[in-house]
């Protein structure tokens, strides 16, 4: 089954609003590719100017975080309806930096996935193991547990619209990329798990990205794998290299 490729930039805590607009202009012609979904996941304060800057292009806008309530006394937070109203289509959920630095657990991540769908946002759900679990050889069980918890109560129709990003923590921002075979092994495992939890049609539809030091040099090989439908790109999404990844 042909799944549409999705290449998403995760800008993390980079780019002021004016720098964000400049980056959109720099990348505009480089990221043209009608066969690929191109997404910029940007800091909250950059959303409004970036939505404006990519109007009329093939770029979709994503957010990096939100809270599960629609509104109210949650100082410092931003809600799904706010994101949606601003023109956001995708939302990163469960990134390892949110899990490890900000203490988000699978209960909250599961609530966020369900809230995102209920609000009309498409989640990019991240999973991935630490270097310790990779060395211990228990990474497969870990990934299965994360996905199973994070998708509790999520319907098959929703999972068909879901993007799952496999991001081994030891490869994020380290320059140490998983080999294409290592990445494919886990992405295939995730697809098998979705078939087990749901059915084969759902597993065939869900899009699975690899993330972790993906760059212009290694993207083509990673993306050539049967179960890797795209990439979630941190460092290289802030540079012209991102265009090469989109067109890899
Ligand atoms: P990286 O980040 O490409 O800089 O390794 C990927 C991510 O954290 O999404």
């Amino acid at each position: 089954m042909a799944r549409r490729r999705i290449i998403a930039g995760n800008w993390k805590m980079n780019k002021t609003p004016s720098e964000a607009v400049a980056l959109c202009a720099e990348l505009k012609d480089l990221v043209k590719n009608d066969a690929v979904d191109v997404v910029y996941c940007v800091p909250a304060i950059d959303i409004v100017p970036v939505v404006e800057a990519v109007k009329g292009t093939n770029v979709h806008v994503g957010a990096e975080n939100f809270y599960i309530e629609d509104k109210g006394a949650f100082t410092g937070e931003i809600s799904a309806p706010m994101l949606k109203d601003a023109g956001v289509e995708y939302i990163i959920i469960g990134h390892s930096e949110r899990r490890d630095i900000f203490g988000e657990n699978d209960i909250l991540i599961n609530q966020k996935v369900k809230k995102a769908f209920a609000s009309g946002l498409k989640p990019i759900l991240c999973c991935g193991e630490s270097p310790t679990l990779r060395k211990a050889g228990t990474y497969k069980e870990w990934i299965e547990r994360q996905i199973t918890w994070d998708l509790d109560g999520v319907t098959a129709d929703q999972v068909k619209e879901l993007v799952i990003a496999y991001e081994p923590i030891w490869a994020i921002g380290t320059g140490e990329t998983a080999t294409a075979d290592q990445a494919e092994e886990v992405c295939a495992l995730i697809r098998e798990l979705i078939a087990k939890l749901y059915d084969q049609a759902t597993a065939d539809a869900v899009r699975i990205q690899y993330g972790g030091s993906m760059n212009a040099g290694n993207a083509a090989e990673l993306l050539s794998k049967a179960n890797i439908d795209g990439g979630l790109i941190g460092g290289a999404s802030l540079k012209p290299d991102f265009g090469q990844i989109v067109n890899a």
Side-chain angles (χ1 to χ4, degrees):
M1 166 176 184
R3 288 177 293 270
R4 199 173 152 81
R5 187 175 284 185
I6 176 163
I7 302 293
N10 174 9
W11 290 11
K12 308 195 178 184
M13 196 173 73
N14 293 294
K15 303 294 172 189
T16 65
S18 47
E19 289 168 349
V21 170
L23 180 60
C24 291
E26 187 185 359
L27 295 181
K28 189 175 172 207
D29 292 330
L30 304 177
V31 299
K32 276 191 186 146
N33 186 336
D34 289 338
V36 175
D37 286 338
V38 179
V39 186
Y40 296 165
C41 297
V42 306
I45 198 163
D46 295 341
I47 288 169
V48 170
V50 167
V51 166
E52 191 58 37
V54 301
K55 261 196 191 134
T57 76
N58 60 320
V59 175
H60 303 262
V61 178
E64 300 176 16
N65 189 32
F66 75 110
Y67 188 58
I68 51 173
E69 298 293 340
D70 283 346
K71 60 180 172 181
F74 304 99
T75 302
E77 292 298 324
I78 188 162
S79 74
M82 291 172 182
L83 295 176
K84 185 83 185 144
D85 186 64
V88 167
E89 292 175 66
Y90 291 87
I91 174 77
I92 297 175
I93 299 176
H95 191 279
S96 59
E97 287 151 19
R98 300 269 353 143
R99 294 177 190 258
D100 294 348
I101 304 171
F102 301 101
E104 292 195 12
N105 62 24
D106 290 293
I107 295 171
L108 179 62
I109 290 163
N110 173 246
Q111 289 174 318
K112 286 189 172 190
V113 171
K114 287 189 277 202
K115 182 66 187 182
F117 277 122
S119 309
L121 297 171
K122 292 182 193 140
I124 299 176
L125 172 64
C126 303
C127 61
E129 81 283 1
S130 66
T132 313
L133 290 179
R134 168 60 59 167
K135 278 195 207 100
T138 52
Y139 57 96
K140 292 183 191 168
E141 293 85 339
W142 175 262
I143 301 290
E144 287 188 347
R145 203 176 60 185
Q146 280 188 323
I147 300 285
T148 304
W149 281 356
D150 296 347
L151 294 185
D152 184 44
V154 178
T155 68
D157 281 347
Q158 290 172 330
V159 174
K160 289 187 178 116
E161 299 294 315
L162 179 70
V163 179
I164 298 176
Y166 168 55
E167 299 207 308
I169 297 169
W170 45 274
I172 295 179
T174 58
E176 185 190 350
T177 322
T179 64
D181 287 340
Q182 285 174 322
E184 170 66 8
E185 179 194 40
V186 178
C187 292
L189 173 96
I190 293 169
R191 201 175 303 284
E192 277 165 35
L193 175 66
I194 297 297
K196 244 187 282 168
L197 293 174
Y198 296 91
D199 51 58
Q200 194 56 47
T202 306
D204 287 341
V206 67
R207 292 188 291 177
I208 304 176
Q209 297 174 315
Y210 167 77
S213 300
M214 197 189 260
N215 59 42
N218 59 28
E221 194 191 351
L222 286 157
L223 294 169
S224 74
K225 294 294 181 182
N227 287 291
I228 303 180
D229 307 314
L232 183 57
I233 293 103
S237 71
L238 303 169
K239 300 189 282 196
D241 294 44
F242 191 67
Q244 286 172 261
I245 300 173
V246 168
N247 289 291

